[in-house]
Amino acid sequence: MGLMPFVLALLIAGAASQQPASSQGTRPSNAEANTAQPPVGPGSLPVDIERIQKLLAQKPAIVLEPDFNPDTGLPTFRVAVQARKLTIDEILGPDYLRGPVPAGSMTHEEFLNMVTPTDVRGYAAFSNKQGATVALTSLALKWALNTALQEFQQAKDERAREAARREVQEALEALRKARLEAGLTPK
């Protein structure tokens, strides 16, 4: 608060000292006005005037009445950006899949190789030929066990069907015998 009056006083004093003595109370003549400001041509500006005029002549992307936020009383501004869509390579760079790995660090596989003894690493105890033999015999054993289990299940089902068939035959034979004893004709 104490700085504000000081800044205001400096601004007023600077404005008063920059005012020419001849213009205090009188208006400058046309000659003085022309010499005071050099003419500005469109070629001397650092912008493309034609491009700006062309874009201003186009229909705006969004036509709105002045929109004010009722809570704050501030206007709402909207902007339309027209540009080419960037690809993920342009945004993240060509090596975005590799990831930043600091120098001197190690991969997960290198860490596992460092902390796991060689004797317990999968087929590390075998040569390539021995490892292939172990893998093939393991697969053959699995296939043989699955086949044996299927045959056992089928045999069990066959025995159950045969037992049911025998039971039905015995029941039919008992029925036939009972009909004969009762003096009825067997069917």
Side-chain angles (χ1 to χ4, degrees):
M1 283 293 227
L3 186 62
M4 192 62 147
F6 177 71
V7 172
L8 187 60
L10 280 177
L11 288 175
I12 293 172
S17 67
Q18 288 180 356
Q19 234 176 10
S22 64
S23 66
Q24 292 179 8
T26 62
R27 293 180 57 175
S29 67
N30 287 340
E32 287 178 356
N34 287 341
T35 57
Q37 296 179 352
V40 177
S44 65
L45 295 176
V47 292
D48 186 5
I49 298 293
E50 291 176 12
R51 181 174 171 261
I52 293 173
Q53 288 173 344
K54 215 183 292 181
L55 289 173
L56 287 174
Q58 291 178 357
K59 183 179 176 186
I62 299 174
V63 179
L64 295 172
E65 295 297 321
D67 189 14
F68 290 94
N69 187 341
D71 297 333
T72 61
L74 298 174
T76 302
F77 296 96
R78 291 180 173 84
V79 177
V81 178
Q82 298 171 351
R84 179 180 67 81
K85 228 182 224 183
L86 296 175
T87 64
I88 193 75
D89 287 335
E90 292 172 333
I91 295 170
L92 299 177
D95 292 336
Y96 70 93
L97 289 176
R98 294 189 187 172
V101 179
S105 66
M106 64 178 66
T107 64
H108 182 67
E109 183 180 359
E110 290 171 341
F111 176 76
L112 288 179
N113 288 340
M114 182 180 75
V115 298
T116 306
T118 54
D119 294 342
V120 294
R121 287 188 204 157
Y123 290 112
F126 305 108
S127 67
N128 284 343
K129 185 177 179 182
Q130 291 170 334
T133 303
V134 168
L136 289 175
T137 54
S138 296
L139 288 173
L141 179 62
K142 181 182 177 194
W143 176 79
L145 282 175
N146 283 340
T147 305
L149 283 173
Q150 287 175 353
E151 288 177 7
F152 174 73
Q153 193 69 21
Q154 287 174 354
K156 188 172 143 184
D157 292 343
E158 286 290 323
R159 282 195 300 271
R161 276 195 292 259
E162 189 61 39
R165 208 175 284 129
R166 264 187 273 130
E167 187 178 336
V168 168
Q169 289 295 331
E170 289 171 0
L172 285 174
E173 192 61 37
L175 179 63
R176 194 173 303 142
K177 221 186 251 185
R179 288 179 69 90
L180 282 176
E181 287 176 2
L184 299 172
T185 58
K187 288 188 180 182

